[in-house]
Amino acid sequence: MDARRLAILAAMAEQQAGLFSTAQAGAGGITRPALGRLAQAGVITPLRRGIYVLRGNTPGLLDLRAVWLAADPARDPGAEPLDGPVLSHAAAAQVWGAGDLPAWPVDLTVAHRRWSRQQDVRFRVRDLDPADVTVVDGLPVTGPGRTVADLLEDRFGGHDPAHVGKVAADLLAARRDSFAGLSRHLHAKGGRLGLPGADPGPLVLTALLKAAGYDGAAA
């Protein structure tokens, strides 16, 4: 492959922590056979179907980055990360470095219903408040409060309240959010904790932390 096309790939990868998709490469005039030759030469490494990482790049959260890009493989590499799928639930907790919940299948929150052929990806439909989404190391994720609330309400994941409480405790310990900030997302969400239906957020968060073995007041 000529230096010009390799430079095109490098420019794409630079904007996406070293990753790029087959679709993006195609838009830059680079064919699938050409990508195959680069993979054989060890210049690029396939991560999952249609997603590659350029040699010399070892970003953190590599698997989650590959899943996120695979969900929107034709995106403009330079586009705002918030314009598209958002990592949420346990995947968001992993990005935040909170708790020890397995992130697979990976949950991606989208505005409109869609399906995936990949069994390790699960789409959640929700109109997220822009204030509940942020970018962490180039990845769009739900904010701390939204993440804890999603995990507590999750009827698919079935996460134990103690595990969700550990996520909340880690977020507080790392100063990712405040007690008041997390509480705002937990109003009337204490049903799984045996609390009344109209329970205020601080009460829910305190019970959640205690379920995980923490002193809610000290958290």
Side-chain angles (χ1 to χ4, degrees):
M1 174 177 289
D2 62 57
R4 182 184 66 82
R5 290 180 178 175
L6 191 55
I8 290 173
L9 282 184
M12 292 178 184
E14 184 178 6
Q15 298 179 85
Q16 299 177 140
L19 280 66
F20 65 90
S21 70
T22 300
Q24 290 172 333
I30 302 166
T31 65
R32 290 174 185 267
L35 292 177
R37 290 191 292 273
L38 285 174
Q40 288 182 338
V43 177
I44 61 176
T45 301
L47 299 176
R48 58 193 297 125
R49 185 178 178 83
I51 305 297
Y52 296 87
V53 62
L54 195 63
R55 182 174 60 194
N57 291 273
T58 55
L61 304 168
L62 187 59
D63 290 341
L64 289 182
R65 292 181 190 279
V67 169
W68 173 72
L69 182 54
D72 188 14
R75 71 183 302 274
D76 179 347
E80 170 59 53
L82 297 176
D83 295 336
V86 175
L87 289 161
S88 61
H89 298 75
Q94 183 170 325
V95 174
W96 286 113
D100 50 15
L101 294 170
W104 306 89
V106 176
D107 287 303
L108 291 164
T109 293
V110 292
H112 305 288
R113 186 173 301 279
R114 56 182 294 188
W115 292 265
S116 174
R117 296 179 181 177
Q118 304 172 84
Q119 295 187 355
D120 58 353
V121 176
R122 182 167 50 197
F123 287 111
R124 308 296 191 109
V125 181
R126 186 189 201 107
D127 284 325
L128 289 169
D129 186 323
D132 284 341
V133 183
T134 189
V135 177
V136 179
D137 293 333
L139 288 170
V141 298
T142 49
R146 179 73 269 155
T147 298
V148 173
D150 284 345
L151 289 170
L152 185 59
E153 293 182 293
D154 190 7
R155 62 189 180 90
F156 293 110
H159 303 296
D160 187 292
H163 293 160
V164 182
K166 175 66 163 59
V167 171
D170 286 351
L171 289 167
L172 291 171
R175 300 183 182 276
R176 298 296 194 179
D177 206 338
S178 65
F179 189 93
L182 294 185
S183 296
R184 280 195 294 273
H185 290 80
L186 297 174
H187 177 70
K189 293 185 179 358
R192 291 189 60 201
L193 299 167
L195 298 175
D199 40 290
L203 181 62
V204 176
L205 181 54
T206 297
L208 197 57
L209 292 168
K210 288 184 175 179
Y214 297 89
D215 180 349

